Amino acid sequence: MSDLKDLCGGLPLDPLPPNRGRDPNVPHAPVRTPNLRAEEERLALRNALRYFPPSHHATLASEFAQELRQYGHIYMYRFCPAVRMRAYPIDQYPCRTRQAAAMMLMIMNNLDPAVAQFPQELVTYGGNGQVFSNWAQFRLVMRYLSEMTEEQTLVMYSGHPMGLFPSLPSSPRAIITNGMVIPNYSSREQYERMFALGVSMYGQMTAGSYCYIGPQGIVHGTMLTVLNAGRRYLGTDDLRGRVFVTSGLGGMSGAQAKAAVIAGCVGVIAEVDEAPLRKRHEQGWVMEVTSSLEQCIKRIREARTSKTPLSLGYHGNVVDLWERLLLEFERTGELLVDLGSDQTSLHNPYNGGYYPVPLSFRQANQLMSTDPGCFQSVVQESLRRHIKAINKLSDAGMFFWDYGNAFLLEAQRAGAEVSKVGGGATEFRYPSYVQHIMGDIFSLGFGPFRWVCTSGDPQDLAVTDDIAAKVLEEIAANVSERVRQQYRDNIRWIREAGKHKMVVGSQARILYSDQKGRVCIALAINQAVADGRVSAPVVISRDHHDVSGTDSPFRETSNVYDGSAFCADMAVQNFVGDAFRGATWVALHNGGGVGWGEVINGGFGLLLDGSDEAAKRARSMLNWDVSNGVARRCWSGNTNAYETIQRTMEENSQLRVTMPFPVQDEHVLDRALQG
């Protein structure tokens, strides 16, 4: 394809492409406020120009300086390609190896306007989850991948392609790191400065590792969370007529509406930005949209009474919605909400991740760039109001949980009443969904396993769905009841996935599976590629938000209570271990979900091309990828993980894990500490 061939030609320099600036037809990232000193602005400009020969510096310097001062970052809009950005079938990419073509497909999917939150700023989701820092980096990466052989590895430093380096055919084809900052300098202020300088980048979780698959990537986990919240808090998994209220319809949060309907409940999701709200409605993820609180309350009552599943997008501020629900309760005694949470991007509270209630969307965007200090104060006041309404509804019987988006952490920092009396460093008045709902599922080894059909053919996706369902049905016949419940949920999910029309961008799927399920599904799909039932290779991956990919004390490891919740050995070991066990590419990030400096996470991509070598890699890497985290959770004292890793050792004689001896008599500790 000529367009893709041109795209792989590197930086277009003779002549330079026209500078079309920003496209007014797509959403754009909020203006950043790095507050650079004069000498730092000079350094940022020098850093950007080093991608280009001196003959172009005079032309580019002025426009890059304007971008820096107008938007707070040099995106290099001039070099944004005119080609339609999407996941093209793998055979259309001009590459010397299909492993490189698979990465190109995944990168372009992450920047597809149907998938990406702010495509021209190279932001996939979360307000600041970058694929690259600027468009020169994108073009250089595509050039390197088109030239790569199976004896080279692309090295990526926070969006910057350091180059192709000699390696082995068994080595990863790409090693990606994002935001690997010296710990004492890993603050928000330093992040804004380093990103503006072009020397570091926030890759979120799956944006900077090229593995995001649109909101579908989280819809299944969200559905499982809502379903298991019903089981835990309401005593039932029949959620018809039950109301779930939350906020956010952007990137990852866009899954909430679809997940609520699949779980059978009434989902009401507030969103201040009309663009993603309309986008989700057009994609069929939101059934109804209203900007009227009166209509919102009316539809909640009607759907509760008829027990009809509904996804209702409220165009407005979630604080207004919570306060109106509280007012209805105080007026009538009727509690209109059963379950509540939040998915605003509070890892990024002062740069578009959270919009405070007194301001319109437009006013907030203006204030955050013109008076950041004032904007921060308004955000914190809004968070205090936000929590006040939730606390009163919770006292009335509504069950609320933190979705691991730093909501309670930032609310606490704002002075809201969220502290837990006698709680540890990772505990608040409300539990995180990992602590109460999903943590034990992780400890059983279950997590978000994904695959992408590189042909782009929906029929291939349907075949892989059927393969996965049959594999899980076969395994489920011989597991414990606790594990069987998880298999039942996932079999139900994958059998019905196609009818819910969740594909946005690449032909991809996700389900939660344990170690045995992941390995068996991967091997079965690889065999289907080999014998032609699936027409082209398949990329397997997972969310970094998983059993062993992430060390995050306010989310993934918030239920680790042995004092190691703030240690990042697991994520780093996961990244390294996946690399030498056969991953096609691996990634390690600072930040993701709960924010820069709050988490370290690692991910991978692995190409299944139907070969025996691919099967060998999948078996070795996937077994490690899960067991690493289960072993760590076992050592921290989790009973589910203890039983899971013990059973895994029985099935694999080469696996030997150090097992803990728990203290059985607490009086032993009392007597020792009392002298």
Side-chain angles (χ1 to χ4, degrees), residues 602-623:
F604 75 87
L606 175 61
L607 186 69
L608 301 177
D609 60 6
S611 67
D612 291 342
E613 175 65 18
K616 180 181 177 182
R617 288 170 178 244
R619 186 181 290 108
S620 175
M621 199 215 71
L622 291 174
N623 276 314

Side-chain angles (χ1 to χ4, degrees), residues 195-345:
F195 183 62
L197 291 176
V199 297
S200 196
M201 189 183 85
Y202 188 81
Q204 259 283 357
M205 285 192 155
T206 51
S209 61
Y210 323 143
C211 289
Y212 187 60
I213 59 170
Q216 180 190 181
I218 198 174
V219 69
H220 181 34
T222 308
M223 185 273 287
L224 287 177
T225 302
V226 174
L227 200 61
N228 283 295
R231 289 167 180 158
R232 175 164 188 137
Y233 299 130
L234 306 177
T236 179
D237 55 11
D238 181 0
L239 298 183
R240 290 173 299 172
R242 301 291 194 160
V243 179
F244 170 50
V245 172
T246 181
S247 60
L249 283 168
M252 302 292 275
S253 60
Q256 295 182 105
K258 177 73 78 173
V261 170
I262 296 173
C265 66
V266 179
V268 185
I269 303 93
E271 173 57 65
V272 294
D273 186 355
E274 187 174 13
L277 180 60
R278 295 296 172 191
K279 183 177 178 178
R280 298 301 173 217
H281 188 237
E282 290 165 5
Q283 290 172 341
W285 287 64
V286 175
M287 295 163 66
E288 298 178 19
V289 172
T290 182
S291 57
S292 164
L293 282 171
E294 292 294 335
Q295 178 67 8
C296 215
I297 298 300
K298 177 175 180 286
R299 291 297 290 127
I300 289 173
R301 284 198 166 103
E302 290 171 350
R304 284 181 81 218
T305 301
S306 64
K307 296 188 175 182
T308 305
L310 172 68
S311 56
L312 176 61
Y314 167 60
H315 181 211
N317 197 292
V318 70
V319 181
D320 287 328
L321 177 58
W322 281 121
E323 290 179 341
R324 180 56 190 270
L325 289 165
L326 176 60
L327 181 63
E328 290 296 317
F329 174 72
E330 291 172 340
R331 282 177 176 172
T332 67
E334 185 181 17
L335 185 62
L336 294 175
V337 53
D338 301 282
L339 301 170
S341 192
D342 185 273
Q343 274 204 41
T344 47
S345 296

Side-chain angles (χ1 to χ4, degrees), residues 436-583:
H436 264 203
I437 303 169
M438 298 299 285
D440 280 348
I441 294 174
F442 284 162
S443 294
L444 289 170
F446 283 81
F449 180 64
R450 300 173 172 179
W451 62 92
V452 176
C453 296
T454 67
S455 64
D457 186 348
Q459 180 57 32
D460 278 350
L461 186 60
V463 171
T464 57
D465 282 350
D466 187 57
I467 288 170
K470 288 177 178 176
V471 165
L472 295 186
E473 286 166 350
E474 184 176 335
I475 297 173
N478 298 293
V479 296
S480 67
E481 180 56 34
R482 183 185 297 175
V483 175
R484 189 173 293 117
Q485 174 68 66
Q486 300 306 318
Y487 271 100
R488 280 198 294 263
D489 286 348
N490 283 282
I491 291 166
R492 169 188 162 191
W493 158 265
I494 199 66
R495 283 295 186 197
E496 298 179 0
K499 73 171 76 168
H500 292 294
K501 299 179 180 178
M502 293 177 293
V503 169
V504 177
S506 59
Q507 292 294 319
R509 190 67 79 218
I510 183 171
L511 59 78
Y512 268 55
S513 181
D514 61 357
Q515 181 171 323
K516 180 178 285 189
R518 298 186 208 202
V519 172
C520 291
I521 291 170
L523 295 178
I525 289 176
N526 190 60
Q527 184 58 47
V529 174
D531 61 29
R533 284 178 292 136
V534 174
S535 67
V538 172
V539 173
I540 60 171
S541 183
R542 56 161 168 75
D543 197 339
H544 300 204
H545 166 63
D546 194 9
V547 180
S548 63
T550 300
D551 283 298
S552 178
F554 297 103
R555 192 158 79 176
E556 285 80 2
T557 46
S558 61
N559 66 332
V560 169
Y561 301 114
D562 68 346
S564 69
F566 292 87
C567 301
D569 301 79
M570 179 176 70
V572 175
Q573 289 282 359
N574 184 264
F575 162 80
V576 175
D578 284 355
F580 67 71
R581 286 179 175 86

Side-chain angles (χ1 to χ4, degrees), residues 69-91:
R69 288 174 171 167
Q70 188 171 355
Y71 307 120
H73 186 73
I74 300 171
Y75 295 104
M76 305 184 185
Y77 291 112
R78 178 191 288 268
F79 297 95
C80 180
V83 65
R84 167 78 167 88
M85 200 70 68
R86 68 178 181 87
Y88 292 88
I90 192 170
D91 290 338

